Amino acid sequence: CSTAGTGNEAVVDLDSHRSFARLRTVCIGTLQLQGSAVIDAGALFVIHDVSPAQYEDTEIVRVDLTTYAVRSVPLGGAAWIFAGLGDIWVETDSTVSSLVELSPSSLRVVNRFADPDGTWGFLPFGGRLWFIDNYSLKTLNPISGRISVVALPWLPTGLSPESITSSGGQLYLLAASQKTPATAIATYNPVSGAHRLVSETGLGGGAGLLGVTGRVLWVEPPGGNMHEVTAYSMQSLRPLVGGFSDGFLNGTWTAVPDAGDLWFQIAGDPLECVSGRTGRVDTELRLPNTFGSQNIAEATPPGFVAADATNLVVAANETHGANPSESGIAVYALDPRCHA
């Protein structure tokens, strides 16, 4: 990774043909390119593989997006990172799975919660962390450490929670049967108890809710080895007519709801920003050093992507992903068309 050698490599808007020069390349070594990254409190937080040969040899890296100063802290077995409730959270998958709460400014460990069952998919909402465990919706109080089960008596008999996300003051819940293809998507206000449920016919068990951007609820229907993400209306809870729907072999693409849009990329293809208002593609962005191939195994794997109101941050693959030791973080100005 070379800050001087890659500083002028631009992202190109394939619709407007406008170029966006790289603002900065931050070299921090080998990255977990298919891991997660998040922007919060003016900084990027990402998982760094200190030694790829050692699965648990990981650390959390913080990059200030104003000064580009880098700070890191060792955290073994880091598998997923997200922001919420004023802090940074990391799910670890080592000898004993855990959820670790970090200060966004110092990366100091604020709290560590044991997760013996390996529960993933925590959602920060209303001062608590919400998650699904053993077919039940539960919450974790980060102050007391208490776990509570949330009663959902209005769910149809035979359906149990499978996935959750949120927008504003309400939760979006996907429920499915363990024995039949029956599925439903619901909105639920935990304060008032108000809820609305729509039965689905084309999802079945194994579906998931990716997130909400603007007016779009992003749903991941099940597909075995093939998987996709589809735009649903957050009002009707039905697929948007003419809305975005795409996917490919599992592990060959990434979809990230961030900064009001969905960011979607298949290995070797342009990065698409999909409008959070219309559920349609705003534009396609060609990333530098992205290598496409008819043989998907030879194409550059999709790395992490994160965005805020002004920045687009992606993994900087200098050799088409073939030499991860030459990877870094590339920061670009956000294409205004991505908020068209």
Side-chain angles (χ1 to χ4, degrees), residues 80 82 91 118-124 129-132 164:
W80 193 256
F82 63 95
E91 299 170 15
T119 299
W120 307 117
F122 290 95
L123 175 72
L129 294 174
W130 298 66
F131 62 100
I132 293 172
I164 52 170

Side-chain angles (χ1 to χ4, degrees), residues 105-172:
S105 57
S106 66
L107 296 183
R108 176 181 61 86
V109 175
V110 177
N111 252 321
R112 188 186 297 264
F113 302 95
D115 185 23
D117 296 325
T119 299
W120 307 117
F122 290 95
L123 175 72
F125 180 82
R128 292 176 287 174
L129 294 174
W130 298 66
F131 62 100
I132 293 172
D133 176 46
N134 196 26
Y135 308 118
S136 295
L137 180 61
K138 299 180 180 180
T139 64
L140 167 65
N141 185 320
I143 297 177
S144 66
R146 180 183 177 185
I147 293 177
S148 303
V149 177
V150 180
L152 300 171
W154 44 267
L155 272 184
T157 302
L159 296 188
S160 56
E162 278 210 356
S163 183
I164 52 170
T165 188
S166 68
S167 178
Q170 66 182 4
L171 294 171
Y172 288 78

